[in-house]
Amino acid sequence: MKTTVKLTGALEDYLEAIYIIEKSKDEVRITDIALFMEISKPSVNKAVENLRRNGLLEHEKYGCIKLTSAGRKVASEVYFRHEMLTNFLVNTLGIDRNIAEQDACKMEHIVSHETLYKLIDYMKSNSSV
Protein backbone atom coordinates (compact mmCIF):
# COMPACT_ATOMS: atom_id res chain seq x y z
CA MET A 1 0.00 0.00 0.00
CA LYS A 2 1.43 3.35 -0.98
CA THR A 3 0.86 6.20 1.40
CA THR A 4 0.32 9.74 0.23
CA VAL A 5 -0.03 11.17 3.71
CA LYS A 6 2.45 13.84 4.73
CA LEU A 7 3.95 12.66 7.98
CA THR A 8 4.78 15.02 10.79
CA GLY A 9 8.21 14.87 12.38
CA ALA A 10 6.59 13.29 15.44
CA LEU A 11 5.07 10.45 13.39
CA GLU A 12 8.42 9.91 11.67
CA ASP A 13 9.96 9.63 15.14
CA TYR A 14 7.50 6.86 16.04
CA LEU A 15 8.38 4.93 12.88
CA GLU A 16 12.08 5.38 13.58
CA ALA A 17 11.61 4.19 17.18
CA ILE A 18 9.76 1.06 16.04
CA TYR A 19 12.51 0.42 13.47
CA ILE A 20 15.23 0.72 16.13
CA ILE A 21 13.36 -1.42 18.68
CA GLU A 22 12.75 -4.11 16.03
CA LYS A 23 16.52 -4.41 15.58
CA SER A 24 16.95 -5.59 19.17
CA LYS A 25 13.66 -7.34 19.96
CA ASP A 26 11.56 -9.94 18.23
CA GLU A 27 8.39 -7.98 18.82
CA VAL A 28 7.44 -4.38 19.46
CA ARG A 29 4.61 -3.34 21.77
CA ILE A 30 3.11 -0.03 22.85
CA THR A 31 5.02 -0.20 26.15
CA ASP A 32 8.34 -0.65 24.33
CA ILE A 33 7.77 2.48 22.28
CA ALA A 34 6.60 4.49 25.30
CA LEU A 35 9.70 3.51 27.27
CA PHE A 36 12.04 4.11 24.33
CA MET A 37 10.61 7.55 23.56
CA GLU A 38 9.92 8.41 27.22
CA ILE A 39 6.29 9.32 26.55
CA SER A 40 2.89 8.09 27.71
CA LYS A 41 1.20 4.96 26.40
CA PRO A 42 -1.94 6.91 25.36
CA SER A 43 0.23 9.14 23.16
CA VAL A 44 1.81 6.08 21.59
CA ASN A 45 -1.60 4.46 21.06
CA LYS A 46 -2.88 7.52 19.24
CA ALA A 47 0.17 7.71 16.96
CA VAL A 48 0.16 3.97 16.29
CA GLU A 49 -3.49 4.11 15.26
CA ASN A 50 -2.75 7.03 12.94
CA LEU A 51 0.17 5.16 11.35
CA ARG A 52 -1.91 1.98 11.06
CA ARG A 53 -4.74 3.84 9.30
CA ASN A 54 -2.19 5.20 6.85
CA GLY A 55 -0.83 1.74 6.02
CA LEU A 56 2.57 2.22 7.63
CA LEU A 57 2.23 -0.45 10.30
CA GLU A 58 0.09 -3.35 11.42
CA HIS A 59 -1.29 -3.50 14.93
CA GLU A 60 -4.14 -5.37 16.54
CA LYS A 61 -5.33 -4.05 19.88
CA TYR A 62 -2.97 -5.25 22.64
CA GLY A 63 -0.86 -7.04 20.03
CA CYS A 64 2.54 -6.63 18.45
CA ILE A 65 3.35 -3.76 16.12
CA LYS A 66 4.95 -4.50 12.77
CA LEU A 67 6.06 -2.06 10.12
CA THR A 68 4.57 -2.60 6.67
CA SER A 69 6.92 -2.40 3.70
CA ALA A 70 5.89 1.25 3.21
CA GLY A 71 6.43 1.94 6.92
CA ARG A 72 9.82 0.20 6.89
CA LYS A 73 10.90 2.30 3.91
CA VAL A 74 10.00 5.57 5.65
CA ALA A 75 11.52 4.43 8.95
CA SER A 76 14.79 3.35 7.36
CA GLU A 77 15.06 6.67 5.51
CA VAL A 78 14.50 8.65 8.72
CA TYR A 79 17.01 6.45 10.56
CA PHE A 80 19.57 6.93 7.77
CA ARG A 81 19.14 10.72 7.85
CA HIS A 82 19.51 10.67 11.63
CA GLU A 83 22.68 8.57 11.52
CA MET A 84 24.30 10.66 8.79
CA LEU A 85 23.49 13.96 10.49
CA THR A 86 24.74 12.66 13.84
CA ASN A 87 27.91 11.43 12.16
CA PHE A 88 28.48 14.82 10.53
CA LEU A 89 27.88 16.75 13.74
CA VAL A 90 30.13 14.52 15.85
CA ASN A 91 32.92 13.60 13.45
CA THR A 92 33.13 16.70 11.27
CA LEU A 93 32.07 19.51 13.59
CA GLY A 94 33.18 17.93 16.88
CA ILE A 95 29.81 18.33 18.59
CA ASP A 96 29.23 16.32 21.78
CA ARG A 97 27.37 13.09 20.88
CA ASN A 98 24.41 13.78 23.19
CA ILE A 99 23.88 17.23 21.71
CA ALA A 100 24.45 15.88 18.19
CA GLU A 101 21.79 13.18 18.73
CA GLN A 102 19.26 15.77 19.87
CA ASP A 103 20.06 18.15 17.01
CA ALA A 104 20.04 15.37 14.41
CA CYS A 105 16.60 14.31 15.65
CA LYS A 106 15.30 17.79 14.87
CA MET A 107 17.21 18.24 11.62
CA GLU A 108 16.30 14.83 10.14
CA HIS A 109 12.74 16.01 9.52
CA ILE A 110 13.59 19.15 7.59
CA VAL A 111 16.86 18.54 5.75
CA SER A 112 16.45 18.21 1.99
CA HIS A 113 17.78 15.20 0.11
CA GLU A 114 20.14 17.50 -1.78
CA THR A 115 21.64 18.93 1.40
CA LEU A 116 21.92 15.52 3.04
CA TYR A 117 23.75 14.00 0.10
CA LYS A 118 26.07 17.00 -0.15
CA LEU A 119 26.92 16.45 3.53
CA ILE A 120 27.56 12.77 2.85
CA ASP A 121 29.77 13.62 -0.13
CA TYR A 122 31.65 16.11 2.02
CA MET A 123 32.16 13.54 4.79
CA LYS A 124 33.36 10.94 2.27
CA SER A 125 35.89 13.33 0.78
CA ASN A 126 37.13 14.10 4.29
CA SER A 127 36.97 10.46 5.54
CA SER A 128 34.27 11.18 8.13
CA VAL A 129 31.91 8.41 6.97
Side-chain angles (χ1 to χ4, degrees):
M1 169 189 266
K2 184 171 179 163
T3 182
T4 56
V5 67
K6 174 71 174 135
L7 295 176
T8 63
L11 289 176
E12 286 183 346
D13 285 341
Y14 282 99
L15 290 173
E16 182 183 23
I18 295 165
Y19 182 79
I20 292 167
I21 295 166
E22 274 186 346
K23 289 178 167 219
S24 63
K25 294 184 78 164
D26 290 336
E27 53 187 45
V28 179
R29 296 188 174 275
I30 295 292
T31 301
D32 299 319
I33 300 166
L35 290 171
F36 183 85
M37 296 181 74
E38 299 178 343
I39 55 177
S40 71
K41 288 186 208 178
S43 295
V44 175
N45 271 312
K46 184 176 178 182
V48 164
E49 178 56 24
N50 187 335
L51 293 166
R52 187 197 62 76
R53 277 194 321 271
N54 285 292
L56 297 170
L57 54 81
E58 297 171 356
H59 179 242
E60 290 185 26
K61 197 166 186 162
Y62 305 112
C64 296
I65 298 163
K66 295 188 187 314
L67 294 169
T68 62
S69 58
R72 184 168 309 287
K73 182 177 188 291
V74 173
S76 67
E77 289 171 0
V78 174
Y79 181 74
F80 176 76
R81 288 193 311 259
H82 182 97
E83 290 297 301
M84 290 299 104
L85 289 165
T86 300
N87 189 338
F88 176 76
L89 294 171
V90 170
N91 297 326
T92 304
L93 300 182
I95 305 293
D96 174 79
R97 179 160 291 280
N98 290 330
I99 294 169
E101 288 283 347
Q102 292 171 15
D103 289 347
C105 193
K106 296 170 192 164
M107 295 166 63
E108 70 193 27
H109 305 296
I110 59 171
V111 69
S112 69
H113 288 292
E114 181 179 359
T115 299
L116 180 66
Y117 286 100
K118 290 287 186 182
L119 283 174
I120 293 168
D121 288 345
Y122 178 82
M123 289 188 297
K124 284 180 182 175
S125 69
N126 291 290
S127 302
S128 297
V129 174

